[in-house]
Amino acid sequence: MTLDSAQQLLESTRKFISAPHKMFINGDWVGAINGDFLEVINPANGNPLTRVPAGTSEDIAVAVKAARIAFEQGEWADMTPASRSKLLWKLADLIEANADEIAQIESLDNGKPVNDARWGDIAFSYELLRYMAGWCTKICGQTIPLSAAAPFHAYTLRTPVGVCGQIVPWNFSFMMAVWKIAPALAAGCTIVLKPAEQTPLTALRLAELIAEAGFPRGVVNVVTGYGEHAGAALAAHPDVDKIAFTGSTEVGKKILTAAGDNLKKVSLELGGKSPMIVFKDADLAKAALAIASGIFYNTGQTCTAGTRLYVHDAIADELLAALVQQAQQLKIGPGLSTDTQMGPLVSKEQQQRVCDYITLGLQEGATLLTGGKCWGKEGFYVEPTILDNTTINMRVVQEEIFGPVLCVTRFSDEQENDIISQANATPYGLAASIFTQDVSRAHLVAKRLKAGTIGINTHHVIDPALPFGGFKQSGWGREMGWEAIELYTEIRSVGVAL
């Protein structure tokens, strides 16, 4: 598929993709200081889609300076919480008005089905902005009665942390950008946003809408570029007060090291290897639908993906037969096709990584139930894959694959406690799910699972009001809900002698 032959494209989408792209710094559209570009590839066919500036540490320095000035001086620094709320709400309205176009850009850039982008990522984004807009006027300190005998009036102030560097991944490019900027803007911070080099386009479209909404110059800056150049420079910059990163655990550790030089605040949303436990009393029809979505949604490129299935022996064959049928019936194809249910992986490198893991799993002794191969003559597709008879020591069970590969382990009544221990026995702890009709069992198992988000008779649990984050090497901090506001604020204690 070429851009010219994509008849389903909106004219506004075609115009945006075809236009020259620049970075957004201090309210202006600028190229990289060194004049370099990086190529953006369409994962549906492997062809170049467009190019964007390849920013480096020089561009990051300019953007950080603009964000610092905006934070400490001028309109944003003096803006009332109510006015910030109105700007966030206006941005949400603009995103909703342009949602079809943004979804198409996301689909071209990332490969995901356009309906998933429109009614999942984009819809969630504008509702998250509206939710965070409500917090602007409710960020409060407290009056504190002191224990000292002398008369004091003591209180706390909750204030914005300052200039925030935000680095977002390629799997939910637009939504992750909004996840980051919404609470930071609600708190009164300023931002330098670095999108993933694979998927920079919707971040630039977001910057256009930020400008249209009327945010002051320098409040939000978007620098495109490679992670090892622009991203590393942002994490290490001494005038950045906080860094927020979503991505792999390996890169998260590098971010943490870089941030250590000036001890900036850090929040990390990292990898996952989420277990799904199905007990023999589960509603199998509902469980099969939730499990298939848990692993195959977004082609398995989801940090919370249910990559490990623990299923009771008594119902394993029936459940796996249903899952195999669902996997084989998934409509694979380009994300822009409205009947596509599973699109390509984001890149050739990711496709090869997933296929290598499938080969490794079979070498380790797993049984292939379905899938296992690349799909199509062009693009970066992998068939939805189910590996049965996997064990705790296999690398496919321990390591994050980030693709549509489900690893199955069966258990008996006698092994129930051991299976819960196995579910916890990875370096990760982002999400988990439990399928049972026994209410007591559901709650008791939920208390034992080491995961930040746990679903009961469902897997993907997400809402603007619900804190999201992980245990262990799945990250630090929580996004969404009030907890996200806490990430972007500091407490000042004030004591007045009376």
Side-chain angles (χ1 to χ4, degrees):
M1 182 192 69
T2 64
L3 192 59
D4 292 337
S5 66
Q7 298 299 319
Q8 64 268 59
L9 281 183
L10 296 167
E11 184 56 35
S12 58
T13 305
R14 193 185 306 276
K15 182 179 178 181
F16 176 83
I17 296 292
S18 302
H21 297 290
K22 295 185 176 181
M23 301 183 294
F24 187 64
I25 299 178
N26 199 30
D28 297 322
W29 294 97
V30 298
I33 291 172
N34 63 9
D36 287 347
F37 290 87
L38 63 87
E39 203 167 49
V40 180
I41 302 298
N42 182 349
N45 55 27
N47 295 329
L49 184 61
T50 185
R51 63 178 194 168
V52 300
T56 65
S57 59
E58 294 179 286
D59 305 285
I60 290 293
V62 175
V64 170
K65 182 177 180 180
R68 175 59 62 191
I69 292 172
F71 179 70
E72 296 185 351
Q73 304 172 24
E75 185 180 354
W76 184 253
D78 296 332
M79 188 174 289
T80 65
S83 295
R84 287 203 309 273
S85 179
K86 290 175 183 177
L87 279 178
L88 285 171
W89 199 274
K90 185 174 183 180
L91 178 58
D93 289 346
L94 286 170
I95 292 172
E96 185 171 18
N98 293 276
D100 292 339
E101 176 203 329
I102 299 168
Q104 288 191 340
I105 298 169
E106 189 81 325
S107 182
L108 283 167
D109 206 9
N110 165 278
K112 68 176 59 190
V114 68
N115 287 330
D116 289 352
R118 171 62 184 87
W119 300 108
D121 302 19
I122 313 306
F124 189 91
S125 296
Y126 54 71
E127 293 302 340
L128 176 62
L129 278 162
R130 289 167 181 154
Y131 172 85
M132 288 299 171
W135 277 117
C136 294
T137 54
K138 302 169 187 68
I139 301 174
C140 304
Q142 296 177 301
T143 56
I144 310 293
L146 299 187
S147 301
F152 271 90
H153 171 54
Y155 61 94
T156 60
L157 297 171
R158 185 173 288 275
T159 57
V161 70
V163 174
C164 299
Q166 300 181 323
I167 303 173
V168 297
W170 45 257
N171 58 335
F172 292 92
S173 322
F174 187 84
M175 188 172 76
M176 287 292 108
V178 174
W179 276 35
K180 293 287 187 287
I181 70 166
L185 293 173
C189 299
T190 56
I191 295 161
V192 178
L193 177 70
K194 211 295 284 183
E197 58 261 35
Q198 298 91 340
T199 55
L201 297 180
T202 47
L204 296 178
R205 186 68 182 100
L206 176 61
E208 291 181 352
L209 298 178
I210 287 169
E212 185 178 345
F215 283 82
R217 293 167 63 92
V219 172
V220 179
N221 306 271
V222 180
V223 178
T224 55
Y226 293 102
E228 61 264 33
H229 300 145
L234 184 58
H237 199 289
D239 204 27
V240 170
D241 299 302
K242 173 180 169 53
I243 195 78
F245 171 76
T246 296
S248 71
T249 297
E250 178 185 4
V251 175
K253 291 176 180 179
K254 294 179 180 178
I255 296 284
L256 187 59
T257 300
D261 281 348
N262 73 329
L263 295 179
K264 57 174 63 71
K265 290 170 70 76
V266 176
S267 58
L268 304 167
E269 196 265 282
L270 306 176
K273 194 70 181 173
S274 302
M276 301 182 290
I277 306 175
V278 186
F279 295 97
K280 62 183 177 183
D281 66 337
D283 183 323
L284 294 191
K286 292 180 180 178
L289 290 171
I291 291 162
S293 173
I295 182 57
F296 300 133
Y297 180 74
N298 205 39
T299 321
Q301 299 170 123
T302 307
C303 53
T304 58
T307 60
R308 295 181 292 144
L309 174 61
Y310 297 99
V311 56
H312 194 282
D313 279 332
I315 46 98
D317 289 342
E318 183 181 353
L319 178 62
L320 291 174
L323 290 172
V324 167
Q325 183 180 34
Q326 289 192 43
Q328 293 175 346
Q329 290 176 347
L330 283 173
K331 179 68 167 63
I332 305 173
L336 281 181
S337 297
T338 54
D339 61 346
T340 290
Q341 295 172 296
M342 198 173 89
L345 294 159
V346 74
S347 66
K348 181 67 176 176
E349 293 78 11
Q350 188 64 17
Q351 181 193 43
Q352 188 61 55
R353 170 188 169 88
V354 172
C355 288
D356 287 346
Y357 267 112
I358 294 171
T359 300
L360 175 63
L362 297 176
Q363 290 172 347
E364 290 179 318
T367 303
L368 181 66
L369 296 186
T370 190
K373 301 187 300 294
C374 295
W375 181 93
K377 296 181 179 179
E378 62 177 9
F380 312 132
Y381 301 90
V382 172
E383 294 174 338
T385 299
I386 301 177
L387 300 177
D388 196 4
N389 300 315
T390 61
T391 60
I392 190 170
N393 294 321
M394 291 182 179
R395 286 180 58 190
V396 290
V397 173
Q398 288 294 319
E399 299 175 15
E400 187 174 39
I401 299 173
F402 226 59
V405 182
L406 179 63
C407 299
V408 181
T409 300
R410 303 171 186 234
F411 67 92
S412 63
D413 288 337
E414 294 75 19
Q415 295 171 308
E416 184 171 316
N417 283 330
D418 180 59
I419 282 301
I420 297 170
S421 297
Q422 284 193 39
N424 290 329
T426 74
Y428 304 105
L430 191 56
S433 55
I434 305 156
F435 295 87
T436 179
Q437 297 183 76
D438 184 328
V439 174
S440 295
R441 169 187 275 152
H443 290 295
L444 289 170
V445 174
K447 287 179 68 175
R448 292 180 60 188
L449 291 175
K450 297 176 182 178
T453 299
I454 298 171
I456 296 176
N457 296 321
T458 186
H459 185 71
H460 294 299
V461 182
I462 181 174
D463 188 88
L466 195 64
F468 180 87
F471 290 17
K472 298 186 285 186
Q473 293 188 36
S474 286
W476 288 358
R478 294 293 183 270
E479 298 185 294
M480 298 188 293
W482 164 252
E483 286 77 5
I485 298 296
E486 290 184 318
L487 289 180
Y488 292 96
T489 53
E490 295 271 26
I491 292 290
R492 288 179 168 85
S493 296
V494 181
V496 182
L498 300 179

